[in-house]
Amino acid sequence: MKAFLYESQNARVKFGVGFLKEVGNELKELGGKRALVIATPEQRELANEVATLLGDLCAGIYTEAIQHVPRESIGQSMHVVQELQIDSFVPVGGGSSIGLAKALALETSFPILAIPTTYAGSEMTPVWGITENGQKKTGKNMIVKPKTVIYDPNLTVTLPPSLTVTSGMNAIAHCAEGLYAENANPVISIMAEEGIRAVSSCLPRILENPEDMDARSEALYGTWMGGTVLGSVGMALHHKLCHVLGGNYKLQHSETHTVILPYAIWYNSTYAPEAMARIARAIGSEVDDVAGAIFDLSKSLGVAVSLKEIGMKKEDLDEAAVIATRNPYYNPRPIDGSAIRSLLEYAFIGERPVQGRTL
């Protein structure tokens, strides 16, 4: 066995149907007395419900969270934090709400109690991302990692089918890249494989029966695995490409992850054989067709499988390839500019990765 380093990260997780009602007790455990509930405009009703459950512990509601956390949105919300004398944050929703809470925690060091309603997994990580001047910058700081996470499968029932699928594929992406991370280790690899198995197997069941709480619980369980992987080890090419495409071209976050994932795996397939074997086992595919099988899964679930479908312009592909290769993340296969440009071309068209052939 290869030598490795494993570091555990403290986290309190309450997982179960109906656990939203515990939010007040959990905030008290963190010492929060004047919480700001954070959400997107679409989650305003749920934000109000959480505020009601918190009662006197809620000092205000902010429902203007925006995806990719633009720098200007942080300044606007910091005025609210100061005016209301906030001492803690309760983001409700997906990566936009939790991302804004993290940015505010980076400024204030106030604790976060996260209530996720999607399968993105940001709630389990110390990773923050802020978009400024058209560039998305990311970093790690334990201050921004939520101290407590409440997973209540009831909260995912109203998630639109397309977002259910794409945020689930986002969770799978965290797991897949964790398997070939520079600092991968046996413990996290077990969690990554289990996360892929859980999410990939339950997404079709959720679409077939949106009221299937066992399937929704399984999806959140896989999300927890994926988020833990994302927060424990480094990411690689897939995440770099998604940060570039989302931050620079304003593509929707989870849709971008869904489109790019099979092509990033295709790019790395022959350079990470152990990771490919684990992914294949988790999704029940042939080892030399892992990328194609993930593409097929997305397509079978009725979501976009090309950059063109989600708003990317063909004339921007050259620039995107240059930006993505300028300051590359670690990746098992060396980053080659022409190969990355080819990857983006395939992803733009939405052509299925070729079985048994390297990109």
Side-chain angles (χ1 to χ4, degrees):
M1 179 178 290
K2 295 180 180 179
F4 65 88
L5 172 67
Y6 170 73
E7 293 182 288
S8 62
Q9 297 180 2
N10 291 334
R12 178 175 172 84
V13 174
K14 296 207 75 171
F15 190 111
V17 175
F19 268 11
L20 178 63
K21 66 180 183 294
E22 299 290 328
V23 64
N25 291 333
E26 291 301 318
L27 186 64
K28 288 178 183 177
E29 288 288 329
L30 295 180
K33 297 179 181 179
R34 296 189 60 79
L36 181 66
V37 177
I38 299 172
T40 61
E42 294 78 15
Q43 292 281 21
R44 184 172 285 112
E45 184 177 342
L46 180 56
N48 289 330
E49 180 182 349
V50 171
T52 299
L53 288 169
L54 287 172
D56 293 341
L57 298 176
C58 177
I61 302 173
Y62 185 83
T63 57
E64 301 300 325
I66 304 171
Q67 72 169 344
H68 304 305
V69 195
R71 170 64 69 181
E72 54 271 23
S73 72
I74 302 171
Q76 293 165 4
S77 50
M78 272 301 298
H79 286 304
V80 176
V81 170
Q82 294 162 353
E83 181 180 349
L84 298 179
Q85 298 181 320
I86 298 301
D87 66 4
S88 50
F89 304 112
V90 182
V92 181
S96 299
S97 303
I98 296 170
L100 178 58
K102 287 181 172 184
L104 295 174
L106 202 60
E107 297 280 338
T108 64
S109 299
F110 295 158
I112 299 173
L113 190 168
I115 305 174
T117 63
T118 72
Y119 307 128
S122 174
E123 66 279 354
M124 291 305 300
T125 83
V127 179
W128 55 266
I130 296 172
T131 301
E132 188 171 10
N133 299 322
Q135 302 284 325
K136 186 168 185 178
K137 300 177 182 179
T138 63
K140 280 190 176 184
N141 191 318
M142 289 304 297
I143 288 173
V144 311
K145 186 177 186 293
K147 299 291 189 291
T148 300
V149 179
I150 296 176
Y151 285 110
D152 187 338
N154 277 337
L155 302 182
T156 68
V157 173
T158 57
L159 195 63
S162 61
L163 189 53
T164 295
V165 173
T166 57
S167 66
M169 296 304 294
N170 191 3
I172 291 174
H174 301 330
C175 294
E177 292 234 296
L179 287 169
Y180 51 67
E182 185 176 21
N183 55 342
N185 66 72
V187 176
I188 294 301
S189 291
I190 290 171
M191 297 182 73
E193 183 176 341
E194 174 66 358
I196 295 170
R197 182 208 61 76
V199 177
S200 64
S201 65
C202 70
L203 289 179
R205 292 162 53 201
I206 292 172
L207 291 191
E208 183 177 347
N209 178 13
E211 303 297 325
D212 186 339
M213 295 310 296
D214 286 337
R216 290 191 176 277
S217 295
E218 186 84 352
L220 273 182
Y221 163 72
T223 295
W224 174 29
M225 297 287 131
T228 301
V229 171
L230 176 64
S232 301
V233 296
M235 295 289 107
L237 173 64
H238 170 84
H239 282 75
K240 176 66 175 184
L241 288 172
C242 290
H243 290 157
V244 168
L245 294 170
N248 291 73
Y249 306 102
K250 296 181 171 55
L251 301 185
Q252 201 276 338
H253 183 77
S254 62
E255 290 181 341
T256 306
H257 276 271
T258 301
V259 170
I260 290 297
L261 180 58
Y263 302 103
I265 289 178
W266 190 24
Y267 184 93
N268 285 323
S269 59
T270 59
Y271 287 75
E274 184 177 338
M276 297 305 129
R278 282 184 175 272
I279 298 171
R281 188 161 59 227
I283 64 177
S285 76
E286 298 177 27
V287 174
D288 65 351
D289 194 33
V290 168
I294 290 176
F295 177 93
D296 293 343
L297 175 63
S298 296
K299 193 167 186 177
S300 71
L301 296 174
V303 295
V305 293
S306 73
L307 290 176
K308 183 178 181 179
E309 291 175 273
I310 64 172
M312 187 69 180
K313 297 177 181 178
K314 187 176 179 62
E315 57 265 30
D316 289 332
L317 295 181
D318 288 338
E319 179 186 58
V322 171
I323 297 172
T325 56
R326 188 176 294 151
N327 296 297
Y329 297 174
Y330 162 82
N331 195 65
R333 176 181 171 182
I335 300 300
D336 174 80
S338 62
I340 296 300
R341 179 60 180 80
S342 295
L343 182 159
L344 291 173
E345 184 73 30
Y346 275 105
F348 179 80
I349 298 169
E351 184 172 336
R352 187 187 192 276
V354 179
Q355 182 173 354
R357 198 184 87 193
T358 303
L359 179 67

